[in-house]
Amino acid sequence: MSKTILLVGCGKMGSAMLRGWQSAEGDFSIHVVDSNEEMRARAHAGGVPAYADIAALDSNFSPDGIVLAVEPGAITRVLGECLRWKDTDAAVISVAAGVRLEDMSAVLPSTSMSLIRVMPNIPAVIGEGMMVCCASARASKTSRTLTTQLLEGIGTVAWIDDEGQMDAVTAVSGCGPAYVFAFIEALVRAGVAAGLSEDLSRRLALATAAGSSRMALESDETAEELRRRVATPGGATSAAMKVLLEGDRLDGLLHESVEAAKKRSKELGKDS
Ligand SMILES: NC(=O)c1ccc[n+]([C@@H]2O[C@H](COP(=O)([O-])OP(=O)(O)OC[C@H]3O[C@@H](n4cnc5c(N)ncnc54)[C@H](OP(=O)(O)O)[C@@H]3O)[C@@H](O)[C@H]2O)c1
């Protein structure tokens, strides 16, 4: 039977999810709430009913899942507006960075709804996101299944039990696309310095990053094993690896970057 989903916030992340649900096989009846007229017009154009606020929804409207994709600072207000469904078994799924389950539960203290926190990442826009979910202790099995079904439309889904790991998750997969983009940029610049045109260097760097990621995903070997296999002793790749991996500099740099992101994620969580 078709599941009724209310998506609150249809900006970058919300619209990525909406596109995924519309092209996925799941049977979802989606309704959008967004305060921004342009976002509502875009949803309407895709055949999805859109409203300016939750109060505009029919009083009989009762969603199976409520996906919150507004800015972290707007979550408390939106959750307050969801109180009308507090005695239902709806799944409330928040993708807001830094907003803890405890913060959500403080607005909905005595609810039968299931609270779920998700850290998505931006490749969700092309259906290749990484979504890490954590549910409150009282969340139902049905709500977890619905969350998995919804998020599988936009990428890979993983569940963690310890919400304390969310800052590390944010630092690895939430912020991770920026690390990969930075690596690609640097490879493009290095190719230009080695004598290639910028256009050719970009094409080589992008295709190499995409192909290698896909190969690592599909292979039974670890990335380390694959790396060792392409680096023939005495060959060109080995010469490059000697420089790139010397003194664990790359490890050190990524370790520091991930730690900085984790620390900032923690701070943002306290501020929200
Ligand atoms: N983008 C990412 O890569 C990413 C990654 C991980 C997590 N997230 C999380 O996803 C959430 C959304 O991020 P985003 O990048 O998609 O933001 P966004 O593009 O700014 O979209 C948010 C949308 O929600 C609307 N909105 C704000 N308050 C509202 C309310 N009270 N009722 C209804 N609609 C409201 C906004 O309208 P106005 O323009 O009128 O404010 C805007 O259209 C954030 O909590 C963020 O932490 C995003």
Side-chain angles (χ1 to χ4, degrees):
M1 206 175 89
S2 171
K3 296 280 183 194
T4 303
I5 305 300
L6 175 64
L7 170 65
V8 188
C10 198
K12 290 184 280 299
M13 190 49 75
S15 61
M17 292 195 279
L18 182 59
R19 264 198 303 275
W21 299 333
Q22 286 179 314
S23 55
E25 284 174 9
D27 188 8
F28 303 121
S29 160
I30 302 157
H31 298 251
V32 160
V33 165
D34 198 300
S35 48
N36 186 313
E37 199 181 337
E38 206 185 315
M39 303 304 159
R40 291 200 300 278
R42 211 166 52 179
H44 269 306
V48 176
Y51 309 84
D53 53 39
I54 287 176
L57 288 157
D58 193 278
S59 58
N60 292 327
F61 181 82
S62 184
D64 297 294
I66 305 167
V67 180
L68 307 179
V70 296
E71 299 84 344
I75 289 287
T76 302
R77 195 181 128 205
V78 173
L79 279 175
E81 292 168 14
C82 293
L83 275 166
R84 60 191 264 190
W85 299 298
K86 79 177 178 54
D87 297 325
T88 72
D89 57 2
V92 181
I93 305 158
S94 162
V95 300
V99 178
R100 290 161 301 194
L101 290 167
E102 177 187 320
D103 305 323
M104 294 166 68
S105 162
V107 187
L108 299 162
S110 54
T111 181
S112 50
M113 294 193 290
S114 296
L115 305 182
I116 292 165
R117 175 180 171 188
V118 179
M119 173 46 63
N121 72 6
I122 203 65
V125 171
I126 56 156
E128 298 270 353
M130 179 69 233
M131 263 67 54
V132 183
C133 315
C134 187
S136 63
R138 284 183 299 153
S140 67
K141 193 163 178 274
T142 316
S143 68
R144 290 170 198 249
T145 305
L146 176 63
T147 305
T148 300
Q149 283 169 347
L150 275 172
L151 298 178
E152 274 176 350
I154 51 167
T156 302
V157 181
W159 285 87
I160 57 171
D161 293 327
D162 176 8
E163 194 186 2
Q165 290 188 331
M166 271 298 187
D167 295 309
V169 165
T170 303
V172 174
S173 59
C175 310
Y179 314 156
V180 177
F181 299 146
F183 179 85
I184 293 170
E185 273 174 62
L187 188 54
V188 172
R189 284 193 295 267
V192 170
L196 301 178
S197 71
E198 185 162 345
D199 179 52
L200 180 59
S201 190
R202 173 159 295 114
R203 281 168 55 204
L204 300 190
L206 284 171
T208 303
S212 311
S213 300
R214 171 80 29 220
M215 187 176 165
L217 266 173
E218 289 177 5
S219 174
D220 291 333
E221 294 178 272
T222 64
E224 185 183 349
E225 285 163 347
L226 289 172
R227 192 241 312 154
R228 287 190 192 283
R229 210 146 54 76
V230 289
T232 316
T237 310
S238 278
M241 287 300 107
K242 228 172 170 172
V243 179
L244 192 65
L245 303 180
E246 192 203 335
D248 287 337
R249 277 186 305 181
L250 186 61
D251 261 25
L253 201 58
L254 272 176
H255 190 97
E256 278 178 45
S257 307
V258 166
E259 276 307 310
K262 188 176 154 190
K263 180 167 173 271
R264 186 65 190 133
S265 169
K266 248 192 197 109
E267 288 165 0
L268 289 172
K270 279 185 200 133
D271 294 349
S272 69

